[in-house]
Amino acid sequence: MPSELPLPRSAAEALDAADPLRGFRDRFTLPEGVLYLDGNSLGALPAHTPAHISRMVEQEWGGGLIRSWNEAGWYDLPRGLGDRIAPLVGAAAGQTVVCDSTSVNLFKVLTTALRLRPERRAIVSELGSFPTDLYLTEGAAPAHERRLISRDGDTLRELDELLDQDVAVVLLSHVDYRTGRLQDMAAVTELIHRHGALVVWDLCHSVGALPVRLDACDADFAVGCTYKYLNGGPGSPAFLYAAERHHDRAEQPLTGWFGHADPFAFEPGYRPAPGIGRFLTGTPPLLSLAGLAAALDLWQDVDLGALRAKSLALTSLFLQLTEPLGLPSLTPAEPSERGSQVSLRHPQAYPVMQALIERGLIGDFRAPDVLRFGFTPLYLSHAQVWDAAEALRDVLATGVWREPRFAAAAGAVT
Ligand SMILES: *Cc1c(COP(=O)(O)O)cnc(C)c1O
C-alpha cells in the first residue's frame, strides 16, 4: 500500500483556482467536515431552498389557501417545471412533465409504449439495471417475453442479437447506477428504431450529471429522478418525457383527472388532455414541487458543457489518485463512456465504507463488493477529491476497517 498519493494536494488546489463552476459551492448548505460523495443518491440542499419552501407554505398555502391553485400557479407547475427540466435533457418545450415517482412514471411510459406496438410480444431490459426498472417491466408487461442484456454486457452487440420483429420496447439506463457506465444514446436508439421497437431511457443518473440530448437522439420516452443530481430534495417528484410525435396516440394507463382534457368539467368518462398533459394522473405534491422549483432556479445558471468538463476532471482525478491502491474499477477508464461516479471493488466493501463514513467521507456501498463514489460538479472541489482519495488510502493502509464496529450487522445490506 503506497504511503502517499501520486499527486500533491496543491495540484488539485491549482485545478480549483481555474474552475469556472467553483462559485456554485456557496449556493449549497453542506455540513462542516463532511466530504459528500453521495449526491447521486440524494443531492445536497441548495442554500435558498428552505426560504423558498417557507414562503410557499406561509404565503401560498397559509395566505392564499385554495386560491393559490390559480393565483400562485400551482395548477400549471407539473408542466411548467417539466419545461424547466427540458433544456437539461435536450427536449423542446411541451414534452416533459414533473409528476409521481420514477417507478410510477416507468409504468406509465412502458405501458404506453407497449400499446403503440400491440402486435409485438417481447420486451428487452438489462439484468444489471436498477431493480425497480426490472420489476416494472414485469408489472407493465406480465405476459410479454422478457429478454435481458447480461450484466455489464456490450449493449450494442447484445441488442443486435436480442432485437427482432417481436420486440415492442427496450428499457435502458443511460448511466448505469452501479458501474457509472454511460450508453451512446444516439447509436443505441438508432439500432432499436431500425428494428421497429421503441426505447425508454432511464435518466436517473444522467440528468444533472451531464448534458442529455433526447430530441437530437430521436428518443421515444424517458423518465428520471429529481432528488439525485438535480437536488430537488428527498422524495421530490420525478419527470417524464414523451416525444411529441407519440402524443396523439399515447394511451397511458393511469387515467386520472389531472390528465383529463377538461378536469373541472367532472365528466363521467375519461378523455385525455392534448399533448404531454395526458401523462399526469392526480394532484401534485406541491410542497415537494417547491423544493424542486428552488433547485431549478440554480440549474438555470449552469453551463452544461462546463458541468460535463468538471465532472470528467473530478472522476479522472479520483481514478488517477486511487489507481495505486489496486482496487479494480467497475467504471470505464474511457471518459466518453463514464457518467459522474466511480465504483471501485473491494471484497470487504461494506466495512471499508463504514470506516470512510466515520471519517466524514460519505459514499455508498452496493452489494456485494462495490464502493460507490458520486461526483457532483456543482458542490465538489478537486481538493475534496484529493481528500477523499487520501481518506480511502489511509483507511486501507491502516486497516482500520477491520475493527469490529464496522462489520455488517446480520442481514444489513446497505
Ligand atoms: C434512483 C433510481 C430509481 C428510483 O426510483 P423511485 O421511483 O424514485 O424510487 C429508479 N431507477 C433508477 C435507475 C434509479 O437510479
Side-chain angles (χ1 to χ4, degrees):
M1 190 59 55
S3 60
E4 54 182 62
L5 296 177
L7 279 179
R9 192 173 195 274
S10 57
E13 290 163 0
L15 294 172
D16 286 332
D19 171 12
L21 298 179
R22 67 184 181 280
F24 279 96
R25 167 134 187 116
D26 292 338
R27 296 176 65 178
F28 288 88
T29 302
L30 284 151
E32 278 302 315
V34 167
L35 271 174
Y36 193 57
L37 270 60
D38 216 353
N40 51 343
S41 266
L42 177 63
L45 171 66
H48 67 286
T49 293
H52 187 97
I53 294 178
S54 308
R55 196 167 53 244
M56 184 270 172
V57 169
E58 287 164 14
Q59 295 177 10
E60 297 180 13
W61 178 12
L65 292 166
I66 199 159
R67 293 168 292 190
S68 289
W69 277 103
N70 293 317
E71 289 170 11
W74 287 356
Y75 184 71
D76 295 323
L77 266 184
R79 288 174 180 80
L81 294 180
D83 279 340
R84 293 179 67 194
I85 288 176
L88 302 176
V89 294
Q95 302 176 103
T96 312
V97 276
V98 170
C99 53
D100 307 308
S101 64
T102 297
S103 299
V104 170
N105 288 331
L106 274 169
F107 183 75
K108 290 193 272 192
V109 296
L110 286 171
T111 305
T112 303
L114 291 166
R115 289 176 177 181
L116 288 169
R117 292 287 181 276
E119 68 291 356
R120 294 176 172 230
R121 305 306 308 160
I123 184 165
V124 175
S125 184
E126 303 160 286
L127 183 59
S129 78
F130 190 83
T132 207
D133 298 53
L134 279 169
Y135 304 159
L136 266 305
T137 62
E138 291 183 41
H144 279 65
E145 178 198 342
R146 288 207 313 157
R147 301 181 186 172
L148 297 178
I149 296 166
S150 63
R151 199 181 286 273
D152 305 329
D154 176 335
T155 303
L156 272 174
R157 192 180 54 72
E158 292 197 25
L159 266 179
D160 206 32
E161 284 165 17
L162 294 175
L163 284 165
D164 61 23
Q165 296 290 320
D166 220 24
V167 174
V169 181
V170 180
L171 167 62
L172 295 169
S173 288
H174 189 209
V175 173
D176 186 283
Y177 82 104
R178 196 175 58 91
T179 64
R181 188 174 58 155
L182 170 68
Q183 296 291 352
D184 181 342
M185 181 181 281
V188 171
T189 300
E190 201 268 326
L191 175 65
I192 292 167
H193 285 171
R194 219 185 307 143
H195 290 269
L198 297 170
V199 66
V200 175
W201 285 103
D202 185 323
L203 305 179
C204 283
H205 287 273
S206 45
V207 65
L210 47 106
V212 180
R213 298 164 62 240
L214 288 173
D215 284 349
C217 294
D218 212 22
D220 297 296
F221 299 96
V223 296
C225 292
T226 65
Y227 53 78
K228 293 174 179 168
Y229 289 96
L230 291 185
N231 313 302
S236 61
F239 66 89
L240 178 162
Y241 161 93
E244 188 174 11
R245 63 182 176 281
H246 295 308
H247 289 181
D248 288 349
R249 289 191 302 134
E251 290 177 25
Q252 71 97 351
L254 302 182
T255 49
W257 71 308
F258 260 70
H260 193 280
D262 190 357
F264 295 99
F266 293 110
E267 294 170 4
Y270 182 78
R271 283 190 295 126
I276 192 69
R278 69 182 53 196
F279 284 92
L280 299 176
T281 296
T283 304
L286 285 147
L287 299 184
S288 295
L289 289 181
L292 176 59
L296 291 173
D297 288 343
L298 197 149
W299 277 101
Q300 78 195 21
D301 300 335
V302 176
D303 175 316
L304 292 181
L307 182 88
R308 177 63 168 159
K310 182 171 176 189
S311 158
L312 290 178
L314 297 177
T315 51
S316 295
L317 178 63
F318 189 72
L319 283 166
Q320 181 190 359
L321 292 173
T322 55
E323 209 246 351
L325 306 180
L327 307 187
S329 169
L330 278 174
T331 303
E334 167 55 43
S336 65
E337 295 172 14
R338 207 189 293 154
S340 201
Q341 71 181 59
V342 171
S343 299
L344 301 176
R345 300 178 66 187
H346 187 286
Q348 295 297 326
Y350 181 86
V352 170
M353 184 53 76
Q354 296 311 304
L356 288 170
I357 291 171
E358 190 184 78
R359 285 188 52 139
L361 191 173
I362 302 179
D364 58 20
F365 162 74
R366 285 289 175 267
D369 61 354
V370 179
L371 298 163
R372 194 179 73 157
F373 303 97
F375 294 88
T376 48
L378 296 187
Y379 51 87
L380 273 184
S381 65
H382 300 78
Q384 286 180 304
V385 170
W386 192 94
D387 293 341
E390 174 58 15
L392 180 59
R393 191 203 61 76
D394 186 65
V395 159
L396 295 176
T398 59
V400 62
W401 59 269
R402 294 177 201 274
E403 293 180 13
R405 67 181 184 283
F406 299 126
V413 289
T414 57

